[in-house]
Amino acid sequence: MRENVHYWGFFSFQPMAIIGGLQAFVESGLHSEYPVVLLESALHTLRSTCYLDADALKAAYSRPDLDPFQTAVCVLSEHLKVFLNLFQRLHEIQEHAGAICRLIHRHLPSEIHHFEVAAVASLFTPDVHHSLEPFLYAYMLLELNAAESDTPDYNCFFESIVTSKLSTQLPSDLAEQCRHIFSLGPSEFSLHFLLEDLVKPFIESAFLHKTEELILNEYTSSFIGPLRDYLAHVVEKSWLKRINHIKTQSNPLTPQLAYTTYYCVRRQELFRVMMDYPESRPAVMDLKAYLMETHALQDLIDALGKEVRIRLLHPGVHTDEILMGYGCLVRGLREIDPSSVAQDIICQPVASCLRVRDDAVHCIVDRLITPPGHQNVVGDNEEDNQVTGLQKELLLPTPLEVEPTDEVRDGDAHLVAHESPQPLQ
C-alpha cells in the first residue's frame, strides 16, 4: 500500500479575494436597492472564476465503449493525474461558489434558493455534466473499495484482481480527500447533485463485473447468499452512506438485484452447468432460487433449449454423449423446476433425436447391462457418477417420456421395443 499523500491542499484557496468586489457592493448598501445587480454580478463572478471546459474534459478522457465500472477502473489506472487535477478544480469551484452563496444568504436570504439553482445551471451545463461522468464513476469506485475494506466479513469479492491492483496503486485515503466535495453540510455548496443520477448505473455495472469475476466457471459453490449479504451490508449500509445517498432518494438496489445479476452471468453457462450435474448442484440450486424469486422460467427454457440444440443435437455428437447429456438434463431440471415444465420442453428434442438414431437402442442397453466403472478408465469418478445417474434414469418406467402420452404418438418407452436386443450368451 502506498503512503497517504495529499495531492492538494483543501484549505489553500482564498475565496475572499474572489468576492472582494461583491463584498464592497454589499457594504455600500446598494444591494438593498439593487438586488438584481448583486445577483447578476455574483453569477458573472462564478462564471469567470469557476469555468469548466467540457471540450477539454472530453479530450482528457473519452471512451464511450466502456460501461461505468470499466470507465472507473480505466480512469484510476490510466488517467489518475487528470482525475486528481479535476477534483482539485472541483474543490476550488465548491469553495468559491460556497463563499458567494454565503454572502447572498446573509444579505438577500429570500433569493438564495434561486441563486443556487442559477449557479448550478450556469456552471454545470448538460455537456459539462456528461463530460464529468467518467471521473465521478471513478470516485464512486474509490468509495466502493473503501466500503469493502470496512466490511470484510461480507465482502465476497475480497479476492478480486481488479480491486487488489487498484489498492496497491492508490493512497488509502484518496476517497476521503475527494468526499469533502460532496458534503451535504448546511454551510456547504455541495456538488452532490452531480452523483445522484449515476449511483444506480454504477453499482449495477460494478456488481455485474465483480460477480462475473467471482462465479464464472465455478459451479461447485453457492453464491446467492454471499451476493445478497454484499448488497445488504457493503453497498447499502456502507457505500451509500459514504456517497451521501440519502434515504429520501430512490433506492438503487432493487430487491432482486442479487438474483438477476447472478442469472445474467450464469445464463451463458447454463449448458455447462447442466452437463456437470450433480457436481454442479450448488449452481443448480442457485438457479432454482433465482426462479423462485423472479418467476422467469421461460427465459431459462429459451436459453438452455437453444444451447442444447446447438451443442448436443447435431450429427457430430455421438449417441452415447447425447444419452449422457439427456440424463444430466433430466436430473438437473428436476431440481430447478419440480413442475417438470422445463424438463418436458427442453428434453423433448433430445428424445426426438434419439428416436431416429439407429444405435440408440444398443447404447441404452449397454448402459443398462454394463456395471458402472467398467465403461471408462479407472479413476474417472465423474464419468462413473454420470453413468450411475443415467442408469437410474433409464430404469424409470418411461425414461425418455417427456411429452404427454396419447394413442396416436408412440411413447419413448417403445424406443427399445423397436429392436429387441439378442439374449446374452
Side-chain angles (χ1 to χ4, degrees):
M1 181 70 66
R2 293 176 56 182
E3 294 182 358
N4 297 342
V5 178
H6 290 272
Y7 286 91
W8 57 81
F10 275 147
F11 303 102
S12 62
F13 308 114
Q14 301 296 327
M16 292 306 298
I18 301 298
I19 65 172
L22 299 175
Q23 186 67 40
F25 185 79
V26 169
E27 291 175 354
S28 70
L30 293 175
H31 68 283
S32 299
E33 188 174 355
Y34 304 103
V36 175
V37 174
L38 176 60
L39 295 174
E40 291 182 351
S41 298
L43 281 176
H44 175 74
T45 301
L46 274 179
R47 294 191 193 101
S48 60
T49 59
C50 302
Y51 175 71
L52 279 173
D53 189 343
D55 292 334
L57 289 172
K58 292 176 182 177
Y61 180 86
S62 180
R63 289 289 303 275
D65 57 311
L66 302 182
D67 64 21
F69 179 75
Q70 293 171 323
T71 295
V73 172
C74 184
V75 168
L76 294 177
S77 301
E78 303 176 15
H79 304 276
L80 181 59
K81 184 176 180 180
V82 177
F83 173 83
L84 296 172
N85 290 337
L86 173 62
F87 268 70
Q88 179 174 354
R89 180 60 177 157
L90 289 176
H91 182 68
E92 292 175 357
I93 291 174
Q94 182 196 42
E95 289 286 293
H96 298 163
I100 293 176
C101 286
R102 287 190 290 272
L103 178 69
I104 300 296
H105 186 267
R106 284 196 302 270
H107 300 284
L108 293 175
S110 61
E111 300 293 335
I112 184 59
H113 175 70
H114 299 291
F115 178 78
E116 288 179 342
V117 172
V120 169
S122 298
L123 298 178
F124 299 97
T125 63
D127 198 26
V128 169
H129 194 178
H130 180 70
S131 301
L132 287 172
E133 286 182 5
F135 305 96
L136 299 174
Y137 286 139
Y139 163 69
M140 286 192 280
L141 178 56
L142 288 175
E143 292 288 15
L144 183 59
N145 291 344
E148 290 178 349
S149 298
D150 286 350
T151 52
D153 293 341
Y154 300 101
N155 179 24
C156 56
F157 306 119
F158 63 92
E159 294 183 343
S160 169
I161 297 175
V162 174
T163 301
S164 299
K165 184 178 180 180
L166 288 177
S167 298
T168 60
Q169 293 177 342
L170 304 174
S172 60
D173 68 337
L174 184 55
E176 183 179 353
Q177 294 186 50
C178 297
R179 191 180 308 136
H180 181 79
I181 297 172
F182 306 103
S183 172
L184 292 175
S187 62
E188 301 286 350
F189 180 79
S190 175
L191 302 184
H192 182 266
F193 64 89
L194 295 172
L195 302 177
E196 292 174 358
D197 293 335
L198 307 181
V199 173
K200 181 178 175 65
F202 171 78
I203 195 57
E204 289 181 350
S205 173
F207 190 57
L208 174 61
H209 281 280
K210 287 175 174 288
T211 301
E212 284 181 340
E213 187 179 6
L214 177 68
I215 76 172
L216 273 178
N217 302 315
E218 176 54 62
Y219 315 133
T220 59
S221 300
S222 176
F223 294 102
I224 287 291
L227 291 176
R228 292 181 60 190
D229 288 342
Y230 178 88
L231 290 176
H233 296 276
V234 178
V235 176
E236 189 166 6
K237 293 183 179 180
S238 182
W239 180 69
L240 289 180
K241 291 181 179 179
R242 284 176 168 274
I243 62 172
N244 292 311
H245 192 82
I246 55 180
K247 294 182 179 180
T248 56
Q249 297 168 331
S250 60
N251 189 347
L253 303 181
T254 61
Q256 298 178 340
L257 183 58
Y259 297 95
T260 55
T261 302
Y262 177 87
Y263 179 71
C264 183
V265 177
R266 275 286 184 251
R267 192 176 189 274
Q268 59 188 299
E269 301 182 310
L270 289 176
F271 182 80
R272 294 179 60 187
V273 169
M274 301 309 299
M275 292 302 101
D276 283 350
Y277 190 87
E279 284 72 18
S280 62
R281 189 173 185 274
V284 168
M285 298 308 294
D286 280 346
L287 289 170
K288 181 178 181 179
Y290 160 77
L291 292 177
M292 293 178 64
E293 182 71 20
T294 64
H295 308 289
L297 180 62
Q298 186 60 54
D299 186 80
L300 182 142
I301 291 173
D302 293 341
L304 181 56
K306 180 180 179 180
E307 287 295 305
V308 168
R309 291 190 295 272
I310 293 174
R311 302 175 64 173
L312 193 63
L313 304 182
H314 60 81
V317 180
H318 193 275
T319 302
D320 201 52
E321 295 179 36
I322 297 178
L323 283 168
M324 294 291 291
Y326 174 81
C328 293
L329 283 170
V330 169
R331 286 176 287 149
L333 289 172
R334 284 177 182 169
E335 288 271 23
I336 291 176
D337 175 31
S339 71
S340 296
V341 172
Q343 175 191 329
D344 290 349
I345 297 174
I346 294 172
C347 292
Q348 188 275 334
V350 184
S352 298
C353 176
L354 289 171
R355 290 192 192 101
V356 299
R357 290 244 175 170
D358 294 336
D359 59 343
V361 173
H362 295 295
C363 290
I364 292 174
V365 173
D366 286 343
R367 291 296 181 188
L368 288 172
I369 65 177
T370 304
H374 289 71
Q375 299 185 13
N376 33 266
V377 179
V378 176
D380 193 350
N381 294 327
E382 180 178 350
E383 185 73 11
D384 284 347
N385 292 337
Q386 288 183 328
V387 171
T388 303
L390 179 60
Q391 288 188 358
K392 291 179 180 179
E393 295 300 328
L394 294 175
L395 289 171
L396 292 175
T398 55
L400 295 177
E401 183 59 56
V402 295
E403 299 175 298
T405 304
D406 54 44
E407 297 180 357
V408 178
R409 182 174 54 207
D410 289 336
D412 294 313
H414 300 108
L415 186 64
V416 178
H418 292 167
E419 184 178 346
S420 301
Q422 297 297 323
L424 296 176
Q425 299 297 327

